[in-house]
Amino acid sequence: MSIIDNKKQPSFHIRTFGCQMNDRDSEIMGQLLAEQGYVESMEIEDADVVIVNTCSIRAKAEQKAMSLLGALRKAKKSRPGMRICVAGCVAQQEGLELCERMSHVDLVLGTQNLYALADLLKNLDGTQKVAITLSDAYEIPAFIPTLPAIREYSVDQIDSNPAPASHPFRKFLTIMQGCNNFCTYCVVPYTRGREVSRKVKDILDEAHALVDAGISEITLLGQNVNSYGRTNSVTPDGGSYSFSQLLREVAAIQGLKRLRFTTSNPKDLSSELMRCFGEIAILCPQFHLPVQSGSNAVLSRMNRKYTRELYLQQVKELRSFRPDIALSTDVIVGFPGESDADFEQTMELLEEVRFHSSFSFKYSDRPGTRSADFADKVEELVKSERLTRFQHRQDEICLEQNLLYVGKVLPVMIEKLTQDGMVGRTESNHIVHIEGKIACIPGDITSVTIHHAGRHSLNGRLNSTQQKGAA
Ligand code: SAH
Ligand code: SF4
Ligand code: F3S
């Protein structure tokens, strides 16, 4: 008997680990289940179906998902009807072995098999284990999201009925899957498969559907968006088509207020794309450009295929098109063979670029990657010292960069209304805590004077003319 036959409204709960790709995949799985009559359960223990959407990018990420799965063994003992599904990158890598290691897991769903979820669940009777993982021939299905209607709020309602945090006003839109770059430390090419770009038409249809449903901001998503359209044809006539062209087409959709994209690899970053920052009005001046290391020797062993000189040149060019662009990056410290001198070069690069923010990680061996077999592993203690040094200096720079916003009047997109004000985001993606309220819905843009900057957020107040209905 399947769960859906047994109960009128079976419930599901999804826990997501890892990157925005996984966030988006979780949303898709949630929608597929809702279409089949499932309702979302707030508590994991109460759900009939629990989906753990895993990440294996670093050892720590994998451990977090594994410890949740461990805890679910007990939950399932007290609710034997519970079905447990493991999705995402660990699921893809381990397949059926995961069911063998964890007997309470019912379903293992590979990264390209999301759309089979509802059908697979129908046939799960609790006795057999099912694992499906990616295939070679893959095309991302056309997918039109359905979204709840946007509710209007009046100022009177704000205090008594604050907007739910999950009110949809901003969405990710997947434009490609997989990665062909094989950076030597990275599992993604193994967990997400070869790079496949979605058809332009499918992307534009989805973007239009989002904007028609009231979405104000779209982030185009892929592991390496700069190479969109290079590995398979994305237009009906099979002609060449670039990521910059896609950006311009999405930006032209009437009603869309903000556009972002992530992630980019410097080796594929074209001047044509950099120019977009100066030419597309709704493209936010914010760019995540992972550098990984400031040392050419390390970059070469990472198989990144660019140099620190090229990276610095790109930063210069980006700033020439958009002087206020907020740059962020990813850095790995303690890659095998990274010497003190190599690390100093990463610190120097940080001083030269002065990133608005960064994500920095200690290198960890991942199964199946080339660097897992490299000699000269860096000691854990040295990795920790380097990470602390990098993060400490980056924190100082964050604050110094954020202080430059003080006194400026910036357009801020409202995200939520709180008891004593509102929270929103600047075009540069900084969170702003705003004093005062106006009648608005999440996704509206209002102008805010910044009066204080912290390391990770800004504070501002509404311009006085806007505060007429404020509490
Ligand atoms: N596609 C993106 C990054 C995806 S993974 C890109 O090309 O940059 C996100 C970040 O995790 C990477 O940028 C890298 O900094 C980090 N990372 C990946 N593998 C890692 C490993 N084995 N150890 C430590 N950090 C790692
Ligand atoms: Fe991993 Fe490199 Fe691909 Fe990014 S570009 S996903 S770091 S292999
Ligand atoms: Fe993690 Fe997979 Fe994303 S390994 S970072 S969830 S692509």
Side-chain angles (χ1 to χ4, degrees):
M1 257 298 186
S2 89
I3 309 160
I4 198 106
D5 295 332
N6 271 341
K7 290 180 115 191
K8 280 221 157 54
Q9 284 218 297
S11 59
F12 72 94
H13 184 100
I14 307 182
R15 277 292 166 88
T16 312
F17 297 88
C19 63
Q20 293 128 329
M21 267 20 95
N22 263 12
D23 289 337
R24 178 68 191 127
D25 288 350
S26 287
E27 266 190 348
I28 291 173
M29 289 189 281
Q31 186 179 322
L32 293 169
L33 292 179
E35 282 167 7
Q36 297 291 317
Y38 287 77
V39 289
E40 190 166 4
S41 152
M42 290 302 135
E43 301 298 329
I44 196 164
E45 296 83 9
D46 300 339
D48 298 306
V49 173
V50 172
I51 299 170
V52 182
N53 197 3
T54 59
C55 170
S56 61
I57 198 80
R58 288 170 293 277
K60 236 189 192 166
E62 181 165 344
Q63 281 153 15
K64 276 194 216 157
M66 288 300 132
S67 66
L68 174 64
L69 278 171
L72 283 172
R73 191 187 290 276
K74 216 168 127 206
K76 191 168 177 176
K77 270 214 176 95
S78 52
R79 277 171 58 85
M82 183 187 263
R83 299 282 178 267
I84 299 177
C85 167
V86 186
C89 290
V90 178
Q92 179 62 47
Q93 277 197 304
E94 297 214 10
L96 204 54
E97 272 177 35
L98 199 63
C99 298
E100 283 157 15
R101 267 202 301 140
M102 298 195 154
S103 56
H104 58 301
V105 169
D106 300 281
L107 175 64
V108 175
L109 198 64
T111 50
Q112 295 177 354
N113 307 96
L114 301 183
Y115 296 86
L117 174 66
D119 276 347
L120 288 167
L121 280 176
K122 269 187 208 152
N123 299 322
L124 274 187
D125 62 4
T127 58
Q128 92 272 36
K129 308 284 170 194
V130 177
I132 56 163
T133 46
L134 58 80
S135 55
D136 289 338
Y138 180 64
E139 197 166 303
I140 306 171
F143 181 76
I144 301 297
T146 53
L147 295 166
I150 301 273
R151 281 193 285 153
E152 296 281 345
Y153 289 88
S154 72
V155 174
D156 295 343
Q157 282 176 311
I158 291 171
D159 284 331
S160 56
N161 183 16
S166 61
H167 191 95
F169 63 94
R170 173 177 67 185
K171 285 283 171 191
F172 292 124
L173 199 173
T174 305
I175 64 161
M176 59 205 294
Q177 266 278 15
C179 182
N180 285 351
N181 289 328
F182 291 95
C183 301
T184 51
Y185 52 80
C186 185
V187 290
V188 173
Y190 309 99
T191 61
R192 296 269 165 175
R194 295 290 59 73
E195 191 174 298
V196 185
S197 297
R198 277 179 88 182
K199 299 274 182 278
V200 177
K201 182 180 178 307
D202 291 347
I203 295 170
L204 292 177
D205 285 350
E206 188 167 330
H208 275 285
L210 290 172
V211 176
D212 288 348
I215 291 299
S216 300
E217 177 179 310
I218 290 178
T219 301
L220 303 179
L221 211 55
Q223 288 293 357
N224 184 18
V225 292
N226 303 166
S227 62
Y228 174 80
R230 292 209 198 140
T231 51
N232 59 293
S233 103
V234 290
T235 54
D237 63 5
S240 74
Y241 192 92
S242 71
F243 179 61
S244 317
Q245 279 172 279
L246 182 69
L247 265 186
R248 287 178 197 275
E249 288 210 53
V250 176
I253 296 175
Q254 284 297 314
L256 183 63
K257 295 179 191 160
R258 285 184 176 179
L259 181 60
R260 304 180 195 272
F261 61 86
T262 196
T263 299
S264 301
N265 189 317
K267 85 177 170 59
D268 296 312
L269 177 56
S270 63
S271 289
E272 186 198 356
L273 177 56
M274 292 192 258
R275 205 173 312 116
C276 290
F277 281 100
E279 293 177 358
I280 301 178
I282 68 163
L283 182 62
C284 291
Q286 171 245 322
F287 194 16
H288 186 65
L289 189 60
V291 66
Q292 312 298 358
S293 168
S295 151
N296 283 337
V298 174
L299 286 172
S300 157
R301 285 200 303 278
M302 287 177 164
N303 194 31
R304 290 290 287 181
K305 300 195 177 114
Y306 56 84
T307 58
R308 77 177 269 138
E309 290 75 22
L310 179 77
Y311 189 91
L312 291 170
Q313 176 54 36
Q314 289 174 341
V315 167
K316 223 166 147 189
E317 201 172 335
L318 281 162
R319 286 181 171 152
S320 76
F321 291 121
R322 196 69 211 241
D324 60 342
I325 196 163
L327 296 172
S328 58
T329 201
D330 290 347
V331 162
I332 298 178
V333 301
F335 186 76
E338 184 188 70
S339 64
D340 285 342
D342 289 323
F343 176 65
E344 288 311 321
Q345 291 197 300
T346 301
M347 291 301 294
E348 280 163 25
L349 184 124
L350 172 61
E351 296 302 332
E352 273 192 64
V353 180
R354 297 177 60 79
F355 296 102
H356 275 73
S357 66
S358 65
F359 299 95
S360 46
F361 313 101
K362 284 195 268 184
Y363 168 80
S364 66
D365 280 340
R366 304 309 296 135
T369 60
R370 273 161 55 205
S371 63
D373 295 330
F374 286 2
D376 299 329
K377 293 281 157 59
V378 175
E379 273 176 52
E380 214 40 49
L381 190 67
V382 175
K383 280 196 250 181
S384 298
E385 281 169 5
R386 288 180 185 167
L387 188 69
T388 306
R389 229 185 105 199
F390 182 88
Q391 289 182 340
H392 179 74
R393 184 61 192 129
Q394 173 67 71
D395 275 353
E396 290 174 345
I397 294 175
C398 284
L399 183 59
E400 289 160 15
Q401 292 285 46
N402 289 354
L403 283 169
L404 300 177
Y405 292 113
V406 174
K408 293 213 159 103
V409 179
L410 300 175
V412 173
M413 184 177 282
I414 303 304
E415 299 200 346
K416 61 181 175 189
L417 309 162
T418 59
Q419 285 306 322
D420 45 5
M422 307 192 287
V423 177
R425 227 172 253 267
T426 61
E427 291 178 333
S428 56
N429 218 15
H430 287 78
I431 292 187
V432 189
H433 300 279
I434 307 163
E435 289 160 25
K437 291 176 193 175
I438 45 168
C440 63
I441 55 170
D444 283 351
I445 295 177
T446 188
S447 133
V448 172
T449 308
I450 305 301
H451 63 75
H452 180 266
R455 255 183 239 158
H456 303 296
S457 63
L458 307 172
N459 294 71
R461 55 180 78 87
L462 291 163
N463 292 344
S464 52
T465 49
Q466 294 167 293
Q467 294 205 48
K468 38 186 182 324

